[in-house]
Structure formats: structure tokens, C-alpha cells
Amino acid sequence: MEAILITGGAGFIGSHLVDNLLARGEKVVVVDDFNDYYSPKIKWKNIEQALKNHNFHLEQGDIRDFPFLERVFKRYPIKCVVHLAARAGVRPSVEDPILYEEVNGVGTTNLLELARRFEVPKFVYGSSSSVYGYTDQVPFKEDACADQPVSPYAATKRANELMCHAYHHLFGLKVVCLRFFTVYGPRQRPEMAIHKFTRLIDEGKEIPVYGDGSSKRDYTYIDDIIQGVVAAIDKDFDYEIFNLGESQVTDLLTLIRLIEENLGKPAKIKFLPFQAGDVPITYADISKAKKILGYNPQVPIEEGIKRFISWYKKEARDI
């Protein structure tokens, strides 16, 4: 039975994708290094149920380690690579750009090269809305200029899209690049805004707001993202880029109000200077994904925050 290889499969988005694919009977191989960017215990909890499934296989290692990855490709017949592993986050990338280039750049090229050598039919790459940088062209369309990233993280994501295209052009590798827009929901990484703010408000601590709170994001619920990723796995393309977002924007102060309402606790806001690498807005034009992938997000921010807070109260408070 051919397998779907998911890098970063013990993380937030990856573990949800694992659950979805196992539920439909797929054989899933996960590569994850369980690094300390956040507590590895969280990742182990994310795949707790998957580990009980005979169709689930875990390979622990670093995507920068070519011999390790080569052993994985030799061990399993792979029909699709879904590459989600990365050093994530705009602000940490400003502090350690070399690490981001090594993990995101070298790691991605390793996977593309092995997909070529082992003749993997499809490669799905998890990119980011950050590739658009500063732009007045909103909502963001896939054919917009994306050659002026404003953080090392964004630069690595865009560079990887271009490397994917090079492998498609030179070797015929079929690639889909998915630009994710601020994904949230159960299992969200603890340093991301919604999870971080929820915990700090719950504990009666100050929450840091960079700028005046007017920045806007296209927050996308995890179930909607997974719908788009699965569609990209199932459909056949040569090389395509798709936005996966909710296609609605919420300013930061409104987001905080929604968290307050669902937690039943007030926020203590500490306003701080605007941070380098941040952008004032992200906003996805999803008309292409709707037309070609059948992508159809269903969870507005009000419902998504309600679901997230419910999960946090039940499962995340003590993590």
C-alpha cells in the first residue's frame, strides 16, 4: 500500500491532516524531529491517537539530514509528499535567520530532490500568506507580485515556492503550493496569537499588542484548511499555487474582544511598538481555490473562536 508522507506531521496542521487521512484508510508516514521550538510534549499528545493506528508510521528525524530522509524514502513506497515541516514564525526568524534558511531552505530542497529520485507522483508544499509582504493589492491574489518579503521566514517560504517550480520545470515533478492564512483551532501552537492571548487572559496576565491593534488578519479555521489540503492531494496538477484562507479579515482588537467574550474574562492589554517583519493586513482572494479545488471554508471567526476556547478549557489549560 502506497503511503502519504507528511513532514511536520506531529504539529498543529500536520496532526489534523494525519487524523483526516487515517480516517479514510490512507497509509500515513510522518517525519518530525520534535524540536524544542515549543514543548515536544504537545506534539506527542497531538499524535497520541494516531500512534494506535496500524496505518500510521512515525520516523523521527530532521529534514536537514539527507541520509535519514533517504532511508525513509527507501523504506516506504510514497505516492505523495505533503511538506509542512518548517521553522515557523515571522518574529523569531528576524532573530535567527540562518536557522530558518537551513531548516526551511535545505530541508525543502532535500525533500524535492528525494521526491525526484524516487519518482514520487505529487508534492504538496505548505507555504504562507507572508510571501505577499507589504502590498496595497488586497485581497491577495496568487498572481500578485511576491518578490519583496519583509522577514526571513517569508523569504524562505517564497524561495521554496520557486525551488518547487524549478523542480517541476526541470524534472516534471508535480507540485501544489498552498499559501496558508493565519490558521487557528484546536492544537494551535502555543506562541501563536489566539492561543497565546487566550492563555494570558485566562491567567490574568497582560497581553502584548504590537502597534495600535488595528492590524488585520485573515484567520482560517483548521477544518477549512484541511479541506483544502486534502483537495490538493486528491486532484492532479502540474504546478499550481493556491491561497487557503477564510477570505474575511478581523482586526486585532476585535479578535481580543471575541476571546474575552468566550472566556468570560477581561483582557489586560499592553501596547508595544510595531514589530519589524509584521504586515498590516493579510486577506486571501480564494476564488481560484474555490473554482479549481472546490475549496469552500465554512467556519467564520466567531464560531471558530468559540470552538477554540472550548478546546482550550477542556484540553489545553494544563499543558
Side-chain angles (χ1 to χ4, degrees), residues 233-304:
I233 293 171
D234 289 345
K235 291 182 179 291
D236 190 33
F237 302 104
D238 289 326
Y239 178 87
E240 292 288 351
I241 296 175
F242 295 102
N243 289 335
L244 294 186
E246 212 67 27
S247 202
Q248 59 176 323
V249 295
T250 305
D251 66 77
L252 189 53
L253 293 181
T254 298
L255 175 72
I256 293 168
R257 177 180 56 78
L258 289 170
I259 296 172
E260 288 177 313
E261 290 174 356
N262 283 276
L263 264 181
K265 295 183 179 182
K268 299 175 183 178
I269 299 176
K270 182 178 182 179
F271 288 97
L272 297 167
F274 189 79
Q275 287 228 319
D278 280 348
V279 294
I281 187 171
T282 63
Y283 184 5
D285 182 321
I286 58 174
S287 55
K288 180 180 177 182
K290 280 187 170 183
K291 180 179 179 181
I292 300 176
L293 290 179
Y295 177 65
N296 186 26
Q298 299 290 307
V299 185
I301 188 69
E302 295 81 5
E303 174 63 22

Side-chain angles (χ1 to χ4, degrees), residues 94-211:
V94 176
E95 299 170 4
D96 196 352
I98 294 174
L99 175 63
Y100 276 70
E101 175 57 28
E102 288 176 350
V103 175
N104 298 356
V106 174
T108 299
T109 304
N110 283 345
L111 287 155
L112 286 166
E113 177 61 16
L114 287 165
R116 176 186 76 86
R117 292 186 188 183
F118 285 84
E119 300 182 342
V120 175
K122 177 175 288 187
F123 194 99
V124 178
Y125 173 61
S127 189
S128 166
S129 63
S130 66
V131 301
Y132 290 105
Y134 291 111
T135 177
D136 295 327
Q137 299 179 23
V138 292
F140 303 166
K141 297 190 72 172
E142 292 89 347
D143 59 1
C145 177
D147 63 359
Q148 295 182 331
V150 296
S151 70
Y153 170 71
T156 63
K157 286 294 185 178
R158 180 59 178 147
N160 288 345
E161 290 181 351
L162 297 174
M163 187 63 79
C164 285
H165 186 271
Y167 267 78
H168 163 67
H169 175 75
L170 291 171
F171 309 116
L173 183 64
K174 294 186 175 183
V175 181
V176 181
C177 299
L178 302 175
R179 292 174 176 171
F180 299 141
F181 283 70
T182 316
V183 190
Y184 73 102
R187 303 180 193 165
Q188 188 188 43
R189 299 197 318 267
E191 92 287 355
M192 295 183 74
I194 290 174
H195 195 154
K196 180 179 179 179
F197 287 176
T198 297
R199 186 174 298 278
L200 291 174
I201 293 170
D202 188 43
E203 295 174 352
K205 298 176 181 176
E206 286 185 334
I207 61 172
V209 170
Y210 297 96

